[in-house]
Amino acid sequence: MLEKTRLESVLVLALDRPEVNALNSDLLLALADGLEEAQKDPGVRALVLTGKGRAFSAGQDLKEFEGKAPDYEGHLRKYNRVVEALVHLEKPTLAAIGGAAAGAGLSLALACDFRLMSEKASLTTAFSRIGLVPDSGMTFFLPRLVGYAKALELIWLSPRLSAKEALELGLVHQVVAPEKLMEEALALAQTLAQGPTRAFALSKKALLESHRLSLEQTLALEAVLQGEAGRSLDHEEGVRAFLEKRPPRFTGR
Ligand code: T3D
């Protein structure tokens, strides 16, 4: 259901349900647990989220509540735990999108720091098609990535975007040949895993917080975060490496 693979300091979490990696309660719980473990493990310094088979994820398993009165508000607590664990993971996260990403499946990809997409994959918001409101953070991330007007269009009309369209809109960082997707995602993850992990986490925090802060509050927060980064071993190493004219060897501490 959730495949976990460790490649040096990169953890790969692969959704694995037949046949489009639709998300059900068990998979969401496993994913939240996997992300929380990744946060606690200092050996993990980057995470790749992907889907096995033909899809990244089709979002909520629409068969899970068939014939029952759905308690979506309650059920969304499971999604929210996953999204919060993903967004607050203090290590770089990459979505490797090899097939369709729809509904909350797309939300999870949007909550990652980087998105790499196969030329053959597609994205669709999907919620309006079944009379729902976007959830799992989509209304937070989508307008920040593409602007309010485009986000509204993508939510209401729910077109199925090709990789080329997704790249043009800035929804994904890189489009690659299907057979190169994991290779490229792992290469980028390895590069990020060798970076100053703590400074990465603090800069992400500043960016996320900046959306709700005034300039003055942002300046104050930057000073606090810089104070913390300034006390890290990676900062010490970065300056020493610069002065010694060699590449830094960051340890994430
Ligand atoms: O709290 C709550 O539960 C509310 C939270 C909601 C969060 C959400 O994510 S709501 C949105 C749910 N997702 C969707 O509405 C997406 C529905 N699926 C699609 O739009 C398309 O299937 C895809 C774009 C994902 C993939 O298209 P394609 O052409 O590659 O495959 P397909 O032929 O449409 O689907 C293949 C099979 O998967 C098919 O089953 P069959 O006919 O072969 O037996 C299809 O019914 C099934 N499938 C696809 N999506 C889901 C699904 N089964 C269950 N749940 C799905 N989401």
Side-chain angles (χ1 to χ4, degrees):
M1 179 170 292
L2 181 70
E3 189 185 89
K4 296 181 203 173
T5 314
R6 180 73 173 271
L7 299 157
E8 295 169 23
S9 45
V10 176
L11 178 67
V12 180
L13 295 183
L15 308 173
D16 189 10
R17 287 198 70 222
E19 65 183 282
V20 285
N21 297 317
L23 303 162
N24 65 5
S25 298
D26 290 343
L27 180 52
L28 290 167
L29 292 175
L31 191 50
D33 287 347
L35 291 165
E36 286 166 10
E37 282 162 25
Q39 171 61 22
K40 285 183 204 143
D41 185 344
V44 173
R45 292 178 64 199
L47 179 128
V48 176
L49 179 64
T50 191
K52 306 276 282 184
R54 61 185 280 197
F56 176 78
S57 169
Q60 169 62 32
D61 184 342
L62 297 175
K63 293 175 189 147
E64 185 172 10
F65 302 115
E66 219 177 358
K68 297 177 206 155
D71 166 21
Y72 286 159
E73 218 174 321
H75 185 55
L76 278 177
R77 281 199 279 273
K78 295 172 201 140
Y79 279 96
N80 294 352
R81 188 178 151 215
V82 171
V83 175
E84 283 175 21
L86 197 50
V87 172
H88 298 305
L89 192 72
E90 293 173 321
K91 338 203 166 187
T93 56
L94 290 83
I97 307 168
L106 175 57
S107 301
L108 297 188
L110 297 181
C112 290
D113 302 324
F114 282 83
R115 280 160 293 286
L116 273 69
M117 186 172 177
S118 150
E119 282 160 0
K120 290 200 173 152
S122 63
L123 308 181
T124 185
T125 58
F127 292 93
S128 297
R129 288 185 184 273
I130 54 167
L132 286 183
V133 172
D135 60 31
S136 307
M138 189 180 283
T139 60
F140 182 89
F141 288 109
L142 198 55
R144 285 168 170 82
L145 288 165
V146 300
Y148 174 89
K150 197 54 158 182
L152 193 76
E153 180 191 322
L154 297 180
I155 288 164
W156 282 7
L157 300 180
S158 189
R160 197 157 168 175
L161 299 173
S162 66
K164 185 170 174 282
E165 290 167 323
L167 186 66
E168 281 167 5
L169 280 173
L171 276 173
V172 296
H173 297 79
Q174 205 182 327
V175 171
V176 296
E179 65 280 8
K180 291 266 177 195
L181 179 68
M182 282 317 285
E183 189 183 318
E184 295 283 347
L186 288 170
L188 178 55
Q190 298 282 9
T191 301
L192 291 165
Q194 286 160 26
T197 313
R198 196 71 208 128
F200 283 165
L202 295 171
S203 30
K204 181 173 162 183
K205 184 174 177 158
L207 281 174
L208 283 169
E209 291 286 322
S210 73
H211 291 297
R212 60 178 188 88
L213 300 180
S214 66
L215 173 62
E216 291 70 24
Q217 290 167 321
T218 301
L219 292 171
L221 177 65
E222 285 173 353
V224 171
L225 298 178
Q226 195 68 291
E228 187 175 337
R231 290 187 290 276
S232 70
L233 293 179
D234 279 346
H235 171 57
E236 202 179 302
E237 162 64 7
V239 174
R240 195 181 314 119
F242 176 79
L243 297 176
E244 292 171 4
K245 300 189 189 305
R246 61 168 175 83
R249 288 183 292 269
F250 293 125
T251 58
R253 286 176 291 140

